[in-house]
Amino acid sequence: MKEPLFLKPVFQEKIWGGNQLQTSFNYELPSDKTGECWAISAHPHGVSTVINGKFKGTKLDELWKKESHLFGNPKEPVFPLLIKILDAEDDLSVQVHPDDEYGKKHAGELGKTECWYIIDAKPGAEIIYGHHAQTREELIEMIDKGQWDQLLTRVPVKRGDFFFVPSGTIHAIGKGIMILETQQSSDTTYRVYDYDRKDDEGNLRELHIQESIDVTQVPHHIPVNEIKQVNVGSSSLTTFLQSDYFCVYDWEIEGSTKFEKQAPYTLASVLNGFGYLFIEEQEEPFELKKGDHFILPNEINNWKIEGDIQLIASTPGSKNSK
Ligand code: ZN
């Protein structure tokens, strides 16, 4: 039977987290400082579990290994993507991630290219996105002297904005922002600056200055990214990004929209509304509601979504589907 794989998320407590994942998405949270919902993940720090159908109770990393036909028999050893929802009640640390080469060598895992869809942002909310240093010497000097205001580029954000954050980009999500993050399956973060904050035990979080200097792109280039939007009936379908690592889409559906498979498998997260997912040759649809996350495996070639509903979807990029 052709069926989607609905997944149970894993939650992560963070010093900058809040309780919006409960108030907005109705998730049961482990604490009022829940920063991250790992919605679709096979990363060892938080693996999602299938909650429906034939594979109910199976972890995603296990499926990737044992049922690789679901993903088009890929050659990569690990599920390459990780989908998160983040609730930044407070500022996240200023950070940078390595590329695949550096990540493999120094952390034994993939690098981390990521991108953000802004689900919600309080008035005045900002992200840090890139820096002003022109040379590596200048970067080192400004970090050394703590000249954060001169070094870091701040960008105001609003609901619906999209940012591509390739590995090597200095960045931070500011307080009052909720995002859906599509990223490589990696948990390697190099912290440049943490606002001199202390945790509950009075300790500063570790910084990784040398690694940050090693991997930061200097000078910072704003990645060129063309966003394409089409209307299909009353629905609006947007392609946010087609990169080597993943492609990311926004499906805002009103009524009924048909889809054809574009990649070996497709990931999707419901951000708003309610609807139904119809799979080819099946009469009974699957209910879709805000906060659901699922994968359409390789054997599903066509599907239809009905309702008044918004989903952010992604597929593996060219680097991952070879
Ligand atoms: Zn990051």
Side-chain angles (χ1 to χ4, degrees):
M1 188 168 142
K2 296 178 181 183
E3 55 189 4
L5 305 161
F6 283 88
L7 296 152
K8 183 179 160 59
V10 175
F11 296 94
Q12 312 274 4
E13 212 175 340
K14 300 279 173 182
I15 60 167
W16 44 262
N19 63 4
Q20 286 247 13
L21 289 164
Q22 200 254 312
T23 50
S24 293
F25 284 92
N26 218 7
Y27 294 130
E28 246 177 68
L29 299 183
S31 89
D32 271 354
K33 283 207 169 293
T34 302
E36 302 188 351
C37 160
W38 289 28
I40 304 179
S41 163
H43 192 280
H45 294 175
V47 184
S48 6
T49 307
V50 179
I51 53 173
N52 70 303
K54 186 180 165 191
F55 297 108
K56 188 174 175 176
T58 312
K59 300 250 181 196
L60 185 54
D61 54 352
E62 216 178 302
L63 268 193
W64 180 261
K65 280 193 203 120
K66 296 191 182 148
E67 307 285 346
S68 62
H69 61 96
L70 295 171
F71 308 96
N73 299 307
K75 291 193 181 68
E76 316 119 271
V78 294
F79 182 72
L81 301 179
L82 175 50
I83 310 298
K84 293 179 187 172
I85 299 177
L86 274 71
D87 167 23
E89 169 84 16
D90 198 355
D91 293 319
L92 272 77
S93 62
V94 180
Q95 54 187 254
V96 60
H97 307 294
D99 63 10
D100 284 345
E101 200 187 327
Y102 194 96
K104 206 171 254 176
K105 196 168 162 205
H106 297 267
E109 66 168 355
L110 295 175
K112 188 167 158 187
T113 281
E114 62 191 54
C115 63
W116 309 334
Y117 173 80
I118 309 289
I119 297 173
D120 213 353
K122 296 213 167 107
E126 287 180 330
I127 58 167
I128 287 166
Y129 187 57
H131 63 83
H132 299 295
Q134 291 307 304
T135 63
R136 207 160 295 275
E137 292 67 38
E138 205 180 345
L139 175 74
I140 294 168
E141 196 188 323
M142 289 167 108
I143 290 176
D144 241 21
K145 292 185 175 159
Q147 295 171 328
W148 307 112
D149 288 345
Q150 292 104 296
L151 177 65
L152 303 171
T153 309
R154 291 179 171 275
V155 178
V157 300
K158 60 180 189 317
R159 178 197 294 238
D161 286 347
F162 179 85
F163 295 90
F164 181 34
V165 187
S167 60
T169 307
I170 287 191
H171 63 274
I173 297 161
K175 65 176 166 212
I177 298 175
M178 257 195 135
I179 67 161
L180 182 131
E181 180 171 47
T182 305
Q183 59 159 98
Q184 288 183 273
S185 183
S186 166
D187 202 18
T188 303
T189 293
Y190 299 136
R191 249 179 239 132
V192 188
Y193 176 51
D194 199 28
Y195 308 95
D196 305 313
R197 273 185 299 200
K198 290 179 179 157
D199 65 16
D200 288 344
E201 275 111 56
N203 301 312
L204 296 166
R205 293 197 296 177
E206 192 186 354
L207 298 178
H208 315 87
I209 302 295
Q210 189 53 53
E211 291 88 342
S212 301
I213 291 165
D214 286 349
V215 307
T216 297
Q217 185 198 56
V218 189
H220 171 70
H221 292 288
I222 296 169
V224 179
N225 181 41
E226 197 196 336
I227 294 176
K228 293 170 224 146
Q229 190 268 339
V230 291
N231 291 323
V232 181
S234 322
S235 301
S236 163
L237 308 179
T238 302
T239 302
F240 277 130
L241 177 71
Q242 290 177 295
S243 80
D244 287 348
Y245 295 105
F246 35 73
C247 302
V248 180
Y249 309 94
D250 179 16
W251 300 339
E252 300 190 15
I253 293 164
E254 249 189 76
S256 172
T257 303
K258 286 181 181 164
F259 294 87
E260 241 172 67
K261 182 170 83 171
Q262 303 289 328
Y265 53 96
T266 303
L267 285 57
S269 299
V270 181
L271 289 191
N272 277 302
F274 182 83
Y276 293 97
L277 169 67
F278 291 83
I279 305 291
E280 51 186 343
E281 300 153 27
Q282 281 185 48
E283 280 179 29
E284 281 296 304
F286 295 84
E287 260 186 32
L288 297 178
K289 64 176 191 314
K290 182 172 178 169
D292 284 347
H293 305 273
F294 60 93
I295 298 174
L296 295 160
N298 188 48
E299 58 214 359
I300 298 175
N301 294 305
N302 299 284
W303 63 92
K304 187 172 79 175
I305 299 175
E306 268 185 27
D308 188 352
I309 187 167
Q310 181 192 11
L311 302 97
I312 297 292
S314 55
T315 55
S318 52
K319 266 207 178 159
N320 296 314
S321 47
K322 272 174 203 150

